[in-house]
Amino acid sequence: MSELPSRESLLEANAAYYQAFESLNMRAMLALWEESDRLFCVHPGWQALYGREAVMGSWRTIMSNTGRIRFTLTGLRAHIDGLVGRVTVHENIQSIAGGQRHSASAIATNLFSFDEEEGLWRLFHHHASLAGSPETTDIVN
Amino acid sequence: MSELPSRESLLEANAAYYQAFESLNMRAMLALWEESDRLFCVHPGWQALYGREAVMGSWRTIMSNTGRIRFTLTGLRAHIDGLVGRVTVHENIQSIAGGQRHSASAIATNLFSFDEEEGLWRLFHHHASLAGSPETTDIVN
């Protein structure tokens, strides 16, 4: 049973991405990215990563080094152009890693492609850039 | 006479964007962006701008405050998905503004939409983020 690309399903796919990240669920992250070599990913402050191997490798690194991460998304906008869905969003990020609390604000471009056979959006492009300076504080027990 | 969307024409549209910027040609910049409200633009280190008015206003500001700017583009990749063209590129930027030389490296996502009636690609999304720290030096006469 296939579905048509809709703004609602695009927003669900975008939400699934942040849910996979927050739950540090590598299996979900692997599944929601497209199986292709055109993958492109820029994590805030990182260099660009190209292709499935490099992108998924970065997720393994991030997930194994993150204790907790929470996103508050603001200014979310979604557009569909044929089988391409574009979501732009402000990511307000709170995380714990390496015994420290980090807070950062980023702007993200997320591009999804609609797989007509499966009736699913798959992420193929994530470009996140810092908006303002990130802050780090030690966790005092 | 309309043209089909091709990788070659997409690369030409991307080159035209950088040429318009280098020549500080506001008329060319106005023409190559789509006439729509879905425009999205992040200049390196800036907040996100939405809609034609905000985006073109930013270009007026940038162009009137820039003496000279030159781009060396590396790692350019282009993909077409229906009528959407995606270009990712490293921008190595040298500029002169406010009596100072600036050099910066940025990663850009440029999205174009193919106008079938006109046979032209139009830019609707530019997301550029700094890769590394920009450098500024005074110009000594």
Side-chain angles (χ1 to χ4, degrees):
Chain A
M1 197 177 75
S2 75
E3 218 182 299
L4 289 176
S6 69
R7 193 169 179 280
E8 192 182 356
S9 61
L10 174 60
L11 290 172
E12 283 171 12
N14 190 68
Y17 162 73
Y18 290 100
Q19 283 158 12
F21 200 168
E22 287 193 339
S23 58
L24 304 175
N25 184 337
M26 190 64 204
R27 187 173 297 195
M29 192 59 88
L30 282 163
L32 61 85
W33 282 80
E34 194 178 83
E35 287 272 1
S36 82
D37 283 333
R38 68 166 170 170
L39 301 195
F40 173 91
C41 183
V42 180
H43 301 292
W46 289 44
Q47 296 293 327
L49 301 169
Y50 302 94
R52 189 162 170 98
E53 196 178 328
V55 173
M56 300 323 300
S58 74
W59 285 113
R60 283 193 191 88
T61 301
I62 288 170
M63 288 193 175
S64 61
N65 288 290
T66 302
R68 186 175 199 275
I69 188 161
R70 289 295 176 267
F71 290 89
T72 306
L73 303 180
T74 56
L76 196 149
R77 293 171 192 227
H79 291 91
I80 296 172
D81 204 329
L83 298 176
V84 178
R86 176 187 64 151
V87 177
T88 56
V89 65
H90 274 75
E91 302 174 342
N92 303 286
I93 313 165
Q94 302 285 333
S95 64
I96 296 175
Q100 294 179 309
R101 277 181 215 284
H102 306 272
S103 74
S105 173
I107 303 162
T109 295
N110 296 329
L111 300 179
F112 296 83
S113 177
F114 192 74
D115 181 327
E116 290 181 289
E117 275 185 38
E118 294 197 66
L120 285 174
W121 293 100
R122 288 242 160 65
L123 189 59
F124 68 94
H125 185 109
H126 173 65
H127 187 164
S129 58
L130 290 171
S133 301
E135 287 178 24
T136 297
T137 51
D138 289 327
I139 296 172
V140 181
N141 290 311
Chain B
M1 196 180 76
S2 76
E3 219 181 298
L4 288 177
S6 68
R7 193 169 179 280
E8 193 183 357
S9 61
L10 174 60
L11 291 172
E12 283 170 13
N14 190 68
Y17 163 74
Y18 290 100
Q19 283 157 13
F21 199 168
E22 287 193 339
S23 58
L24 304 176
N25 185 337
M26 190 63 204
R27 187 173 298 194
M29 192 59 88
L30 282 164
L32 61 84
W33 282 80
E34 193 178 84
E35 288 271 3
S36 82
D37 283 333
R38 68 167 171 171
L39 302 195
F40 173 90
C41 184
V42 180
H43 301 293
W46 289 43
Q47 296 293 328
L49 301 169
Y50 303 94
R52 188 162 171 98
E53 196 178 328
V55 173
M56 300 323 299
S58 74
W59 285 113
R60 283 193 190 87
T61 301
I62 289 170
M63 289 194 176
S64 62
N65 288 291
T66 303
R68 187 176 197 275
I69 188 161
R70 289 295 176 268
F71 291 89
T72 306
L73 302 181
T74 56
L76 197 149
R77 295 172 192 227
H79 292 92
I80 296 173
D81 203 326
L83 298 177
V84 178
R86 175 187 65 151
V87 177
T88 56
V89 66
H90 273 75
E91 303 175 342
N92 303 285
I93 312 165
Q94 301 285 333
S95 64
I96 295 177
Q100 293 179 309
R101 280 181 213 282
H102 306 273
S103 74
S105 172
I107 304 162
T109 295
N110 297 329
L111 300 179
F112 296 83
S113 177
F114 192 74
D115 180 326
E116 290 181 287
E117 275 184 37
E118 293 196 66
L120 284 174
W121 292 101
R122 288 241 160 66
L123 189 59
F124 68 95
H125 185 108
H126 173 65
H127 188 164
S129 58
L130 290 171
S133 301
E135 287 179 22
T136 297
T137 52
D138 290 327
I139 295 171
V140 181
N141 290 310

